[in-house]
Amino acid sequence: MGQRLSGGRSYLHVPSRLLLQLQPQPSPPPVRRKVAVLFAMLCIWLYMFLYSCASSCAAAPGLLLLGSGSRTVHASPALAPGPDGAFPRLPFQAALVTPLAAVKERDESSASQEEQNPEAPNSPSPISSFFSGSGSKQLPQAIIIGVKKGGTRALLEFLRVHPDVRAVGAEPHFFDRSYDKGLAWYRDLMPRTLDGQITMEKTPSYFVTREAPARISAMSKDTKLIVVVRDPVTRAISDYTQTLSKRPDIPTFESLTFKNRTAGLIDTSWSAIQIGIYAKHLEHWLRHFPIGQMLFVSGERLISDPAGELGRVQDFLGLKRIITDKHFYFNKTKGFPCLKKAEGSSKPHCLGKTKGRTHPEIDREVVQRLRDFYRPFNLKFYQMTGHDFGWD
């Protein structure tokens, strides 16, 4: 194997391929290691980002325009009112069977579907979606408990402009329809909040549900309650208009209003009439909550002076007055105030087409009889709340 060279020295012949194997392999340069580490960190960050977005979508699959409330509806069939659901102190409250009873019962079950399926809003920004996966889910510290067709949807959407308010979009109906599912189920419907933010929801039927005050008090005696009220006659006509838009074949407002029109006996079993007896419903709430823990918002002023009413609400909730006149403009076509810029969007936003419907013409005599019927209840409501809403 060895060969002698000139000069008397010899050498060993080794194949070149063996020399390559025997030579030590160089370690990766430092730059390559740094690139690998950065790539691994980027993969981890991307995974966390996608996970946060997925959590946000799971918590709020139908993000509404002004926040990320859950649109998942967990509504069970409406419960038939029991004997304790009547107004025993009202002589005209005795139940009478009329040919219109079935129509009125169907109205109650179908009317709430519109609020359960509000129109899909603009999508929130990616940054908003990312941060909505942060924080934790809390039981609501404030609830808009009523009233139907009073302006609750407008109030909720206006409030959600505030950065410290996080609210469910659809109505949970927990304290009236799904209470047996438990507080853990209810909490899971809520959006995630950070420290200093308020969790809210709104379900207008709570105000007229006899069991709701005790149930909310059992959850937390410190819950702040907001009631949006409106002239009960106008509210009843608006309630009827909503039902009429879905079922054009229903009887006239006039025929539904009376048990006996000749005798002038108002049918208080019809929900459109019953909801407007605010004083009777408020009595049930005051057995569990002090009046100072409730705020009564004027539905009329919410239209004529939205910033003023929102100022009162923000004070009541202990929030900084961020929502002001600069957030609103008045839409003459709809007859409602609209937001100049909604959360997660650079475009103006008005309430959907289901709001601001034209009311049908109602017999003036019927309207006057309803005003006479509501007057004593309105006066009592003014005394209870310490506020004259000017409906008479």
Side-chain angles (χ1 to χ4, degrees):
M1 294 177 61
Q3 295 182 10
R4 185 172 298 276
L5 300 175
S6 60
R9 297 171 60 183
S10 63
Y11 70 94
L12 183 65
H13 175 74
V14 180
S16 59
R17 58 185 180 83
L18 293 178
L19 286 174
L20 292 175
Q21 293 177 359
L22 293 174
Q23 291 178 355
Q25 298 297 320
S27 59
V31 174
R32 187 179 300 175
R33 288 201 302 270
K34 291 181 179 180
V35 171
V37 172
L38 288 175
F39 180 75
M41 293 177 64
L42 179 62
C43 291
I44 294 173
W45 182 87
L46 182 61
Y47 171 79
M48 294 177 64
F49 177 80
L50 294 176
Y51 179 80
S52 299
C53 291
S55 299
S56 171
C57 294
L63 295 174
L64 276 176
L65 175 67
L66 302 174
S68 58
S70 169
R71 290 175 59 92
T72 305
V73 179
H74 305 270
S76 58
L79 299 177
D84 61 339
F87 295 107
R89 292 183 233 173
L90 302 179
F92 47 77
Q93 186 63 28
L96 294 177
V97 178
T98 69
L100 302 175
V103 172
K104 296 175 180 179
E105 184 176 354
R106 288 197 301 272
D107 290 348
E108 294 183 24
S109 62
S110 63
S112 65
Q113 296 303 314
E114 181 173 297
E115 291 294 341
Q116 288 294 318
N117 298 283
E119 293 186 350
N122 298 333
S123 299
S125 65
I127 294 179
S128 176
S129 297
F130 173 76
F131 283 106
S132 65
S134 304
S136 59
K137 295 186 177 185
Q138 306 291 333
L139 291 170
Q141 297 90 44
I143 303 177
I144 300 174
I145 60 174
V147 300
K148 178 185 176 185
K149 307 309 295 180
T152 60
R153 171 59 54 184
L155 176 60
L156 183 69
E157 294 206 10
F158 294 162
L159 271 177
R160 291 169 77 173
V161 173
H162 201 292
D164 291 333
V165 172
R166 300 281 291 151
V168 180
E171 298 171 3
H173 281 281
F174 174 65
F175 294 104
D176 59 346
R177 299 180 185 175
S178 302
Y179 192 65
D180 59 329
K181 295 182 179 179
L183 286 175
W185 177 88
Y186 182 50
R187 181 190 288 109
D188 193 53
L189 298 180
M190 300 298 122
R192 295 180 182 275
T193 54
L194 303 173
D195 290 341
Q197 292 184 320
I198 293 178
T199 302
M200 292 187 65
E201 71 116 316
K202 77 107 177 171
T203 304
S205 55
Y206 289 163
F207 189 64
V208 297
T209 300
R210 290 285 294 259
E211 299 81 8
R215 290 172 174 177
I216 294 178
S217 178
M219 176 188 72
S220 174
K221 296 183 181 296
D222 298 325
T223 306
K224 293 185 177 182
L225 307 172
I226 301 175
V227 188
V228 187
V229 288
R230 182 183 184 187
D231 182 336
V233 177
T234 307
R235 197 221 66 82
I237 297 173
S238 179
D239 200 336
Y240 171 80
T241 303
Q242 176 177 300
T243 305
L244 183 65
S245 69
K246 301 173 183 178
R247 299 175 50 226
D249 59 335
I250 62 172
T252 64
F253 179 87
E254 290 83 353
S255 60
L256 292 169
T257 298
F258 297 97
K259 288 183 178 179
N260 186 324
R261 185 169 181 178
T262 303
L265 186 62
I266 303 294
D267 189 355
T268 58
S269 67
W270 185 26
S271 64
I273 300 296
Q274 188 183 95
I275 291 173
I277 310 176
Y278 303 140
K280 297 302 296 182
H281 302 302
L282 182 56
E283 286 179 352
H284 304 311
W285 289 91
L286 294 181
R287 294 171 189 166
H288 299 273
F289 292 93
I291 194 70
Q293 211 164 310
M294 304 180 71
L295 179 69
F296 299 89
V297 176
S298 167
E300 287 83 9
R301 287 200 65 210
L302 199 57
I303 295 174
S304 63
D305 182 20
E309 286 300 278
L310 264 294
R312 294 179 59 237
V313 176
Q314 290 172 94
D315 292 344
F316 175 70
L317 295 176
L319 299 171
K320 183 179 179 180
R321 284 200 178 196
I322 291 179
I323 307 172
T324 61
D325 285 327
K326 67 181 182 181
H327 288 89
F328 301 99
Y329 73 95
F330 191 81
N331 186 307
K332 295 182 180 180
T333 302
K334 294 185 69 68
F336 282 99
C338 302
L339 290 169
K340 291 181 180 178
K341 184 186 294 185
E343 181 190 26
S345 173
S346 59
K347 299 178 181 179
H349 170 67
C350 287
L351 296 178
K353 62 183 180 181
T354 61
K355 307 300 180 183
R357 296 187 184 98
T358 301
H359 292 177
E361 286 291 333
I362 306 298
D363 189 320
R364 291 185 178 181
E365 179 188 356
V366 174
V367 172
Q368 187 57 49
R369 288 196 180 188
L370 277 176
R371 295 204 176 281
D372 294 340
F373 165 77
Y374 279 121
R375 185 171 292 108
F377 298 107
N378 291 344
L379 294 175
K380 185 176 181 181
F381 185 66
Y382 298 166
Q383 293 175 351
M384 297 170 76
T385 61
H387 184 79
D388 186 341
F389 290 90
W391 296 326
D392 298 295

